[in-house]
Amino acid sequence: LCYCGKYWWQYFSVYKKLANVDVPHCEQLLVLPLFMCNFVGVMFARSLHYQFYVWYYHTLHYLVWTTGYPVKNRLLLLGVIEMCWNTFPSTVASSGALHVCHFIILVGLLSQVSKSCDMTIFTSRS
């Protein structure tokens, strides 16, 4: 959280520069830090319950698409995470796979977020 804090602050401080930007890009500056904070909380929780999956499931798609990974890898990450959560009772393999997927997503997010705070991560891709 400390590492991302400076980037989140930059995202929030960009609001004053947004006079000529349409609303969807403006919303992304608020949504990404909040979703990342929730994701990091789930990622480092000591124990996970299915309620946590409901809390962050809808944010996973946005977070995975914010990374710079190819589409096939994004879908694979989402599929493996779904498989891990649907394994009951959890096993060492499913827990390990969930941690690996979370780590890969976090690395992708940090690499994109640290690139710039001038909104190019939202506008440069097709």
Side-chain angles (χ1 to χ4, degrees):
L1 290 176
C2 292
Y3 176 81
C4 293
K6 64 182 178 180
Y7 299 114
W8 293 338
W9 181 253
Q10 288 175 340
Y11 277 132
F12 287 137
S13 66
V14 169
Y15 277 115
K16 62 185 171 200
K17 302 176 188 175
L18 295 177
N20 300 333
V21 177
D22 60 343
V23 174
H25 291 131
C26 218
E27 291 170 351
Q28 291 180 18
L29 290 174
L30 178 66
V31 168
L32 182 61
L34 295 177
F35 284 4
M36 279 184 70
C37 188
N38 187 42
F39 175 73
V40 169
V42 170
M43 183 177 173
F44 290 104
R46 283 188 73 198
S47 65
L48 293 176
H49 305 281
Y50 291 103
Q51 297 92 329
F52 295 162
Y53 188 46
V54 172
W55 292 347
Y56 92 127
Y57 169 78
H58 300 287
T59 66
L60 281 175
H61 301 85
Y62 176 84
L63 292 174
V64 170
W65 251 255
T66 302
T67 66
Y69 300 139
V71 174
K72 289 180 183 178
N73 294 356
R74 295 174 189 174
L75 293 173
L76 180 64
L77 282 169
L78 291 172
V80 171
I81 289 173
E82 181 73 21
M83 181 201 68
C84 292
W85 278 99
N86 286 327
T87 302
F88 182 81
S90 62
T91 63
V92 173
S94 66
S95 297
L98 185 63
H99 283 296
V100 169
C101 288
H102 281 168
F103 180 75
I104 291 170
I105 293 171
L106 185 64
V107 167
L109 287 170
L110 294 178
S111 68
Q112 288 296 323
V113 168
S114 63
K115 281 185 181 178
S116 70
C117 287
D118 61 358
M119 296 178 53
T120 57
I121 65 171
F122 302 117
T123 58
S124 63
R125 281 190 248 136
S126 55

